[in-house]
């Protein structure tokens, strides 16, 4: 993090025509952008939502309300502009890129087999890094993958312990029988890997391709000075495996939205992250991150564009002009 | 409210390529827009922030960290484009209009005298209605007025009882001595009007011009089918006096942001309103409402622009195409 840029933001903030602290979290967002972009004032000129799509063998266990075919159908829908994330990106003037991760070849069912071998994991993480090859100054990461709330729950259960039921929810809307299958699948996957505690090994053994790709791009973004907004329940699992390896690895990540998936709040407490929005969404696709990006951009432009007390001839507290 | 428009929104929502309910509060925002715009799908093409500026005799009691001159200075700053609300409106592509309410002539000190006579109150409410004369399909109301958190606190104390200290906070950043003066002023103003319980009489006796103007435009917007986003602690006092008269009078109003001013949450509980955002802001100017408007617009466009399951060839739950 660039402390000098943060200090420059704080100095300028004190001079702006508003009471100190009165923009609340917007002020912290500007400091965060400055810290990770390494410049003051920071700016958001080319925000990008990257949606990572993959399929999961565990979907065959009946853990989702939707058939696995929907992943590919939704990728076609993204390409045609018909999904929620297309419309939010249009409304908010944010770029959108969809990365397909061998959708026709699901990862093995994690209740029975590891999702990746070591080469496969590394290759998938490296592929994820391609999302920022075209450049962006604020990256939002989201996902699409039938069955992936089950995979994310397995990662959280492996990382944080407790019971399988602590980490599952209805995802896209599974019924009670499906929820029981989901709980059984998460329990079986985590039992299979014993007491594995290493974050990347957990990702390799009970993860999935979109999650590995997101973990890769979070790492790459850090090195390229690109702050990252993480979307929701599934996207956060990519951040969680990195956090397990190094608890500063996701300092450049903001959680965009608190998922309606009940376990998300418990995960965020472990990550020490406070989500920016809480709108009861549970769609994924980067939708929560994109809405958050619009607020981050407004915060940056407000900081950069506002007048100072001296420049505008506005009196400060107690009548003195700063 | 237009129930047919709401039903049409719900029917369309069920056909969109997402799990039912997965856009959470965004879905409710679209229904709210449809109900009060009276059309389906609703849209936000000409959102407007109206900032109402006024001065208050009670400022002479030392209740603010800033001198009363700042109100007029900030109006000049709005005109020059230097304030936070200018930059947020630019970033979010929202119109901005500033209405000055006789800033050079503060209302009388409410600890000693009524803010308005009856004609003055009605004229000020009518002037507020001018804010929407140029047309808008989503109105955000905000304010600027040194001393007006004291006036809003007096309104809340008169409406809801309790102690004066229940309704005050540090506003723009008053120190402990100033906070004591603020408490004394609120207590004195409310003691002066005895047990007055009528909302509009409370507004007339211990209110202020920007608050009366906002109450006027909330009423006018209802008749012109314009949904309203109310900004923060002070703007909510205009909604509160109307709610005291008729508890359905503000059904067309959304509270944009939970103020960092501590009493705002208690007021919203009485109004039965859940704010859209909670970003720790306490600036006013319509800043919280404007950020909320951007999310409301994105919700409307998402609803209107998304593909349907049938149109996109996406399978529904259990594999059936809707």
């Amino acid at each position: 993090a660039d402390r000098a840029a943060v200090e420059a933001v704080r100095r300028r903030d004190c001079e702006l025509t508003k009471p100190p602290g009165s923009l609340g979290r917007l002020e912290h967002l500007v400091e965060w952008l400055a810290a990770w972009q390494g410049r003051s004032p920071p700016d958001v000129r080319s925000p990008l939502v990257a949606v990572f799509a993959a399929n999961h063998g565990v979907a065959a266990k009946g853990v989702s309300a939707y058939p696995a075919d929907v992943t590919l159908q939704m990728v076609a829908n993204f390409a045609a502009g018909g999904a929620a994330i297309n419309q939010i990106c249009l409304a908010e003037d944010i770029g959108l890129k969809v990365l397909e991760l061998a959708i026709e070849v699901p990862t093995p069912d994690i209740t029975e087999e590891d999702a990746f071998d070591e080469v496969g994991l590394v290759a998938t993480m490296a592929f994820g890094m391609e999302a920022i090859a075209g450049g962006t100054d604020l990256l939002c990461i989201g996902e699409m993958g039938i069955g992936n709330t089950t995979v994310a729950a397995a990662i959280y259960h492996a990382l944080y312990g407790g019971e399988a039921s602590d980490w599952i929810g209805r995802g896209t809307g599974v019924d009670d029988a499906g929820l029981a299958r989901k709980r059984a699948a998460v329990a079986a996957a985590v039992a299979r890997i014993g007491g594995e505690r290493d974050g990347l090994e957990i990702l390799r053994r009970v993860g999935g391709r979109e999650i590995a790709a997101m973990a890769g791009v979070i790492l790459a973004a850090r090195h390229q000075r690109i702050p990252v907004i993480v979307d929701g329940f599934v996207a956060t699992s990519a951040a969680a495996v990195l956090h397990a390896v190094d608890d500063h690895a996701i300092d450049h990540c903001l959680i965009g939205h608190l998922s309606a998936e009940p376990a998300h709040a418990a995960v965020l407490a472990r990550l020490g992250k406070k989500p920016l929005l809480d709108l009861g969404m549970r769609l994924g696709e980067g939708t929560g991150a994109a809405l958050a990006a619009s607020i981050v951009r407004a915060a940056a432009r407000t900081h950069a564009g506002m007048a100072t007390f001296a420049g505008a001839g506005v009196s400060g507290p107690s009548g003195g002009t700063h």
Side-chain angles (χ1 to χ4, degrees), chain A:
Chain A
D2 186 329
R3 299 314 304 170
V6 173
E7 288 308 317
V9 163
R10 287 183 182 157
R11 278 194 304 276
R12 176 169 164 77
D13 188 80
C14 291
E15 296 173 355
L16 301 178
T17 50
K18 64 177 185 57
S22 62
L23 284 175
R25 196 155 178 198
L26 297 196
E27 298 175 15
H28 302 138
L29 292 174
V30 180
E31 293 175 15
W32 168 77
L33 271 181
W36 298 104
Q37 290 186 343
R39 59 180 169 167
S40 171
D43 199 4
V44 178
R45 291 179 180 278
S46 54
L48 177 69
V49 174
V51 181
F52 297 85
N55 268 324
H56 304 272
V58 72
K61 287 287 198 290
V63 295
S64 175
Y66 290 79
D69 293 347
V70 167
T71 301
L72 196 58
Q73 292 166 354
M74 282 301 297
V75 167
N77 197 23
F78 296 144
I85 189 59
N86 295 102
Q87 298 303 315
I88 290 175
C89 285
L90 270 176
E92 301 292 7
D93 194 20
I94 297 174
L96 175 62
K97 186 180 287 190
V98 179
L99 288 97
E100 298 181 49
L101 294 141
I103 293 174
E104 304 282 16
V105 188
T107 39
D109 179 347
I110 56 170
T111 66
E112 297 167 6
E113 261 184 82
D114 292 343
F116 302 97
D117 59 22
E118 287 180 18
V119 171
L121 175 64
V122 171
T124 304
M125 291 179 70
F127 181 79
M129 298 178 181
E130 292 298 310
I132 53 175
T136 174
D137 51 16
L138 180 61
L139 176 68
C140 301
I141 56 171
E143 43 57 48
M144 172 72 220
I146 296 300
N148 68 9
T149 61
T150 298
V151 175
I155 289 173
Y156 297 135
H157 183 31
L159 287 172
Y160 305 132
E163 304 294 328
S165 56
D166 296 343
W167 307 104
I168 61 168
R170 292 188 185 272
T172 52
V174 83
D175 61 14
D176 287 348
L179 197 64
R181 292 191 292 269
K182 198 167 171 177
R183 183 171 55 243
V186 169
V190 174
R192 184 178 62 76
I193 65 169
E196 180 61 59
R197 308 303 289 171
D198 180 78
L200 288 176
E201 269 296 281
I202 288 169
L203 174 61
R204 184 181 74 77
R205 303 194 66 187
V206 300
R209 287 202 192 94
E210 73 280 57
I211 297 169
M214 290 188 284
V217 80
I218 289 173
L219 290 173
R222 173 78 155 247
H223 291 289
Q224 295 186 35
R225 300 192 164 217
I226 302 167
V228 177
I229 305 183
V230 176
D231 185 36
F233 181 75
V234 176
T236 300
S237 70
V241 297
L242 299 177
H243 180 267
V245 174
D246 173 352
D247 60 10
H248 289 293
I250 59 169
D251 288 352
H252 64 306
C253 297
L254 173 75
I255 307 296
H257 178 268
L258 177 67
S259 177
E261 191 74 0
H264 199 215
V267 171
L268 296 183
R270 282 168 174 78
L271 300 179
K273 297 284 193 186
K274 184 180 171 191
L276 193 63
L277 299 173
D278 177 8
L279 302 173
M281 294 160 64
R282 52 181 171 78
L283 178 58
E285 299 182 3
T287 50
L291 292 174
S294 172
I295 289 175
V296 170
R297 177 173 53 196
R301 294 196 175 167
T302 299
H303 175 82
M306 277 182 74
T308 61
F309 280 104
V314 174
S315 303
S318 316
T321 299
H322 284 252

